[in-house]
Each structure stands twice: as structure tokens, then as C-alpha cells.
Amino acid sequence: MKSYLKTLECPRCGKTYDPSKLVNTCECGTPLLVRYDLETLKKEAGPEIWKTRRRGLWRYKELLPVTDEKNIVSLGEGGTPVLPMKGMGKVYGLKNLYLKDEGLNPTGTFKARGASVGVSRAKELGAKALAMPTAGNAGAAWAAYSARAGLKMVVAMPEDAPVTTQAECVAYGASTYLVRGLISDAGRVVREASQRHGWFEVATLKEPYRIEGKKTMGLEIWEDFDGKMPAAIIYPTGGGVGLIGMWKAFSELKALGWLSGPLPKMVVVQAEGCAPIVRAYREGKNRAEFFQGACTIAAGIRVPSALGDFLVLDAVRSSGGTCVSVSDGEILDTWKEVARRDGMLICPEGAAAVRAAKIVADMGLIGPDDPVLVLNTGAGMKYVELLNEKARKLEEGELPE
Ligand SMILES: Cc1ncc(COP(=O)(O)O)c(C=O)c1O
């Protein structure tokens, strides 16, 4: 096993850090990015190295930060399918609408990718206890992988986080706490407690390795589309880690000379009730202000402020993409429509992204023949209580029609 891990670098001030030490952010407060020795990798191998390996996240080990294979904590994450959406594509007038179904990951969301890499690396560097605030799904994923790694996990989430994710965290043995307010309030609790107890804080972008796991979505997309990238990728954005990760994957592939041609337009979708990045984009800003009164049924994208906002905005702008918002009503309607027309029970965040495909098509950002990829970040089964769909009870002697 060979990782080409080189250093940790601050994308704002350029300061570098030794990757063999457990670190959180740069001393200037900015998230750190993992850098690899791409020059050497380019000399020593080509993209065919990955083709012969088993599907899944760890096939990209050269561009992942774990240096000793025995530290890998895996539950079979990654390698999710890209599926045509014929039904919704017809409704929206898009002939090549696709969905990457991240709901098939362990714990039912793409968070498994960040957790697998983040927990593996934390274990490799000697962490004993991890702590994070979560909207729900990340906590469930990190709780599962920490259990497998034998690490202590502490999770704090808003008291109205989806009940399934609360139960998952507890079931995996994480110390699980509910906090009045939003994920930002849970973040304050975790920060203070981590300082007091010496836990390693693994909040979104507070450690460098979660992005590396999510980056593998980008590597898979590049493989699935045979190097000819989709015209646009639509991503339901909370903290933005998945989008930053995919964009990082494309930059690394470009630097390696393994990807040529235009890159996809990166499209952020947020809920109208919590759209800090959309607002910053529209106002031409590089940083997003805290979104007061954040409220949406799509809990995963109910993130009022994101540490990596400037990285998200930069990826969107340099790709020629855009940022759009959708209402909760649209999310709910699209969620049900996708299930009926395409046989996929996606998550509300994924439904927001499907709906955004129509918006960007109407804007003319993509044409009717362009391949467009929507990220479904989780399994709908984790949220069935929101769907509120009821079966009809048969009366005595009555038969189904
Ligand atoms: C289902 C789902 N989709 C999207 C997101 C947003 O993820 P990101 O931080 O990459 O923007 C989350 C985060 O909690 C989530 O749970």
C-alpha cells in the first residue's frame, strides 16, 4: 500500500503542517487541505492502477491519507451506482439526467465516506476519543466507524434531528446528546467539552481528512463517465464538504494529467429556509453570513454557517456553476415524484438536488441533451416519518382493488 500523502496546507495563508500529527485547522482558523506528491505519482503510475481493483472507496489509496493498510476501518463504503432518471428526465425535458445513489452506503448516506477515511486516519495517528456536532447523518456514520475502530465517540445534535439518526448513534455506542437549537449550537457544546476532556474534535472541516473520503465521489464520477465529465453536478449543500471534495478530486486528476476537457459546472442547492451560500453567491461575496432562523425539512442541509463557505463559492464560480434554492414544498413534492416515476426513495436533500435540475435547465445553464448528475446523498428510508404516507386499512371482507 502506498499513499502519496505529502503535507497539510492552508488554502488561505499557505502555511503547511506535518501530516503525521493530529491537527485541526490552521492557526488562522481556516480548514486544512491534504496535499499529495502528484509529481511522483504521475511518474510511477497511471489511472489504470485503479481499474483492476475492487470497486469501493479504498481502491484510490494512492490519493488517500492512510499510510498503513492495517489502520483502514471499512464497512464496504463507496462504489455507488450512477443511475439514469428516465422518469424525472422526461418531466424536466432532460434526456440525460442521472443520479448517483449515495444512499447505498453503510449507514445509508455518503457520510460513510468521510467517516471511513476520517476514523481510519484518526486511529492511525493515535486518537482515542472523537467528538462532533452533527445534523444527524454524520454522527451516525462516525459512530459506526468509531465502534468498529474501538474508539470513543461523542456526538451532539439538534434536539429535532431525525429520530433514526439519534437511534443509530446510541445503538453504535456513541455518547449521544441532544442540544436545543441548531448544529451551530451543538458545535459550541462539542468545542468546549473537547477542550476540557482532550477529545479530538472532528466537526465538519475541523479536521483535514473527512474531505478526502468525500473526494472519492469525484473520482468515481470521473470513472463512471469514462473521463468525459457530466455538464453539471448538482449537490445539496450544508457544510459543503462533498462539493469541496469532488472539486478537489477533479483538480488532482487534472494535475496528474488523467483528466482533460471541461470540468462540470458545480451547482449548489440549498433550502429556501436555510440558504447562506446561495445568498452570498447572489450578493457576489466570498464568505457567507450566518443564516438567522434556519428552518427546513431537509435536516442535512440545515447548516446556517459553514467554515468552508469560501471554498464552495470558489468551486462554483470557477466552474461556471451556480447556487439555487428550493422550498420545502418543492422538496416534498419532488421526493414523492421521484419515488413514483423512477422507483427511488431518495432523501429530502437529494430531492432538493433533483428539483434544482429543473431550475438550472430553465435558466439555460444546461441544455436538454447535456448529461447532468444529481447527488442523492442518502437513503429515503432514514426519514420515512416525514413522508407521512399511510397504507389504506381494509375493512372486514373488503379486497384490494
Ligand atoms: C443527507 C445529507 N445530504 C447533504 C448533507 C450536506 O453535506 P455537506 O456537508 O457535504 O454539504 C448532509 C449533511 O449532514 C446530509 O446528511
Side-chain angles (χ1 to χ4, degrees):
M1 159 133 192
K2 183 161 178 191
S3 164
Y4 287 78
L5 171 65
K6 191 163 87 180
T7 192
L8 300 176
E9 187 183 67
C10 174
R12 193 170 280 282
C13 73
K15 191 170 161 57
T16 55
Y17 291 79
D18 178 358
S20 67
K21 307 235 159 55
L22 271 178
V23 279
N24 288 109
T25 54
C26 178
E27 57 191 32
C28 76
T30 307
L32 290 170
L33 296 179
V34 181
R35 299 295 181 210
Y36 297 86
D37 182 358
L38 300 178
E39 279 309 307
T40 307
L41 172 55
K42 196 173 171 174
K43 281 192 210 116
E44 293 182 351
E48 66 286 346
I49 46 169
W50 295 333
K51 300 256 183 256
T52 53
R53 296 187 192 147
R54 223 156 51 96
R55 266 185 89 79
L57 180 157
W58 290 101
R59 80 198 298 211
Y60 307 110
K61 54 195 178 185
E62 286 78 9
L63 287 183
L64 290 174
V66 172
T67 55
D68 187 339
E69 208 145 337
K70 75 171 189 314
N71 292 317
I72 290 178
V73 186
S74 174
L75 289 162
E77 53 292 322
T80 56
V82 169
L83 303 163
M85 294 191 92
K86 293 242 161 61
M88 291 308 291
K90 207 163 175 192
V91 175
Y92 291 170
L94 289 169
K95 294 200 189 77
N96 294 297
L97 183 61
Y98 296 93
L99 178 141
K100 184 164 175 67
D101 195 2
E102 288 292 301
L104 296 173
N105 275 300
T107 73
T109 69
F110 75 126
K111 299 281 180 184
R113 295 180 187 264
S116 180
V117 175
V119 169
S120 299
R121 186 66 180 155
K123 180 180 160 204
E124 185 159 77
L125 297 180
K128 297 282 177 278
L130 312 178
M132 67 159 31
T134 176
N137 287 323
W142 283 70
Y145 284 86
S146 297
R148 200 162 174 84
L151 302 182
K152 175 183 169 72
M153 183 77 215
V154 183
V155 174
M157 58 175 87
E159 60 186 345
D160 57 352
V163 284
T164 317
T165 58
Q166 298 180 28
E168 284 178 276
C169 291
V170 176
Y172 291 126
S175 306
T176 309
Y177 300 94
L178 298 180
V179 175
R180 199 163 302 134
L182 298 167
I183 185 171
S184 41
D185 300 293
R188 266 190 297 279
V189 170
V190 167
R191 199 173 322 127
E192 264 180 52
S194 299
Q195 278 160 6
R196 180 172 305 171
H197 300 291
W199 301 329
F200 184 55
E201 206 188 327
V202 292
T204 305
L205 296 174
K206 284 277 180 75
E207 61 76 57
Y209 299 109
R210 195 199 291 204
I211 299 182
E212 296 306 298
K214 302 225 182 140
K215 176 179 89 177
T216 59
M217 291 191 293
L219 299 174
E220 287 177 12
I221 292 166
W222 162 75
E223 281 201 276
D224 281 335
F225 281 82
D226 272 336
K228 289 190 281 321
M229 303 300 279
I233 294 181
I234 306 179
Y235 183 75
T237 305
V241 188
L243 190 136
I244 300 167
M246 285 187 281
W247 193 243
K248 186 170 187 284
F250 303 150
S251 320
E252 287 171 2
L253 290 169
K254 275 232 156 185
L256 285 163
W258 298 356
L259 167 60
S260 53
L263 293 181
K265 294 179 173 129
M266 303 301 283
V267 178
V268 158
V269 55
Q270 297 196 299
E272 277 172 10
C274 182
I277 294 188
V278 179
R279 187 173 60 188
Y281 176 78
R282 287 186 184 146
E283 292 173 354
K285 295 188 176 147
N286 298 326
R287 300 292 320 234
E289 276 162 39
F290 189 89
F291 199 94
Q292 297 293 345
C295 175
T296 167
I297 54 164
I301 53 174
R302 196 178 50 177
V303 181
S305 89
L307 204 54
D309 51 2
F310 69 102
L311 295 169
V312 175
L313 287 159
D314 182 51
V316 169
R317 290 191 176 116
S318 41
S319 71
T322 192
C323 299
V324 298
S325 58
V326 296
S327 69
D328 274 10
E330 288 171 319
I331 292 176
L332 202 53
D333 289 348
T334 310
W335 192 8
K336 295 181 180 184
E337 196 172 359
V338 170
R340 284 197 310 275
R341 292 190 188 274
D342 280 305
M344 300 166 176
L345 192 59
I346 60 176
C347 63
E349 296 81 359
V354 173
R355 175 69 200 173
K358 163 114 177 74
I359 300 175
V360 292
D362 290 349
M363 285 165 66
L365 192 82
I366 47 170
D369 297 316
D370 284 339
V372 177
L373 180 68
V374 165
L375 267 292
N376 173 46
T377 40
M381 272 173 328
K382 294 189 81 167
Y383 307 79
V384 279
E385 77 277 6
L386 287 177
L387 271 174
N388 202 23
E389 301 284 35
K390 300 267 187 312
R392 187 158 84 73
K393 192 171 175 199
L394 286 177
E395 296 304 327
E396 194 62 42
E398 196 187 1
L399 290 175
E401 290 163 7

